[in-house]
Amino acid sequence: MKMFTLLSKFNFISLFATILVGLCMPTTFASEDIETKKIEYLLNSIEKSGATFERNGSTHKASEAKGHLAFKLQKATSMFLFFGPKKEIKASEFIEKIASKSSTTGEPYYIITAEGKKELGPWLTEKLKEYSN
């Protein structure tokens, strides 16, 4: 009888721990997934804009800008020293550390639309606000 009670307590604790972990994990994955979707939205916004992208004095199509920033994102998230041990970054970090300026020259990136030339960082920040609303 004591053995059964001990096993029952062990099973209860094990079940409780499993449920607790299960409840915590979706929140973590959900927040990472939201940030990934925000970054995808920003990249797609660049591509769909049909605007011209200016980087280090040369201009590129919007689709090339999306590809360049996606490449920089992939490289940055694979480098331990850039973001530390985490692999997922926030959309605001993407804008600030990857999409606003050249990592080589430090020059800002620009987007040229029908409304004129604007730095890409503030343009993306506005797009991020649109996503959040």
Side-chain angles (χ1 to χ4, degrees), residues 1-11:
M1 182 75 169
K2 287 184 180 185
M3 182 64 131
F4 179 73
T5 306
L6 185 61
L7 282 174
S8 294
K9 286 181 182 177
F10 177 75
N11 287 338

Side-chain angles (χ1 to χ4, degrees), residues 71-118:
F71 173 77
K72 281 184 70 175
L73 174 65
Q74 187 275 324
K75 290 302 258 179
T77 54
S78 67
M79 293 172 53
F80 179 79
L81 295 176
F82 198 79
F83 284 108
K86 66 181 181 173
K87 293 292 183 188
E88 295 294 326
I89 64 166
K90 293 181 179 184
S92 59
E93 290 176 312
F94 167 74
I95 294 169
E96 178 189 342
K97 296 182 178 182
I98 296 171
S100 292
K101 63 184 177 182
S102 169
S103 54
T104 306
T105 65
E107 293 293 318
Y109 292 149
Y110 295 94
I111 189 159
I112 305 166
T113 64
E115 292 83 36
K117 182 175 175 179
K118 186 173 185 178

Side-chain angles (χ1 to χ4, degrees), residues 29-101:
F29 291 137
S31 66
E32 290 176 354
D33 191 44
I34 289 169
E35 293 301 319
T36 299
K37 287 180 189 233
K38 287 179 182 179
I39 293 169
E40 288 172 2
Y41 172 79
L42 294 174
L43 290 170
N44 289 331
S45 293
I46 292 170
E47 184 175 41
K48 290 177 183 175
S49 72
T52 302
F53 176 70
E54 186 178 308
R55 174 171 54 102
N56 296 325
S58 61
T59 57
H60 304 273
K61 295 178 187 175
S63 59
E64 294 170 337
K66 177 185 177 183
H68 175 71
L69 295 175
F71 173 77
K72 281 184 70 175
L73 174 65
Q74 187 275 324
K75 290 302 258 179
T77 54
S78 67
M79 293 172 53
F80 179 79
L81 295 176
F82 198 79
F83 284 108
K86 66 181 181 173
K87 293 292 183 188
E88 295 294 326
I89 64 166
K90 293 181 179 184
S92 59
E93 290 176 312
F94 167 74
I95 294 169
E96 178 189 342
K97 296 182 178 182
I98 296 171
S100 292
K101 63 184 177 182

Side-chain angles (χ1 to χ4, degrees), residues 120-133:
L120 186 61
W123 187 86
L124 288 172
T125 300
E126 287 301 314
K127 291 295 177 185
L128 184 57
K129 287 178 187 173
E130 289 174 16
Y131 180 89
S132 299
N133 291 333

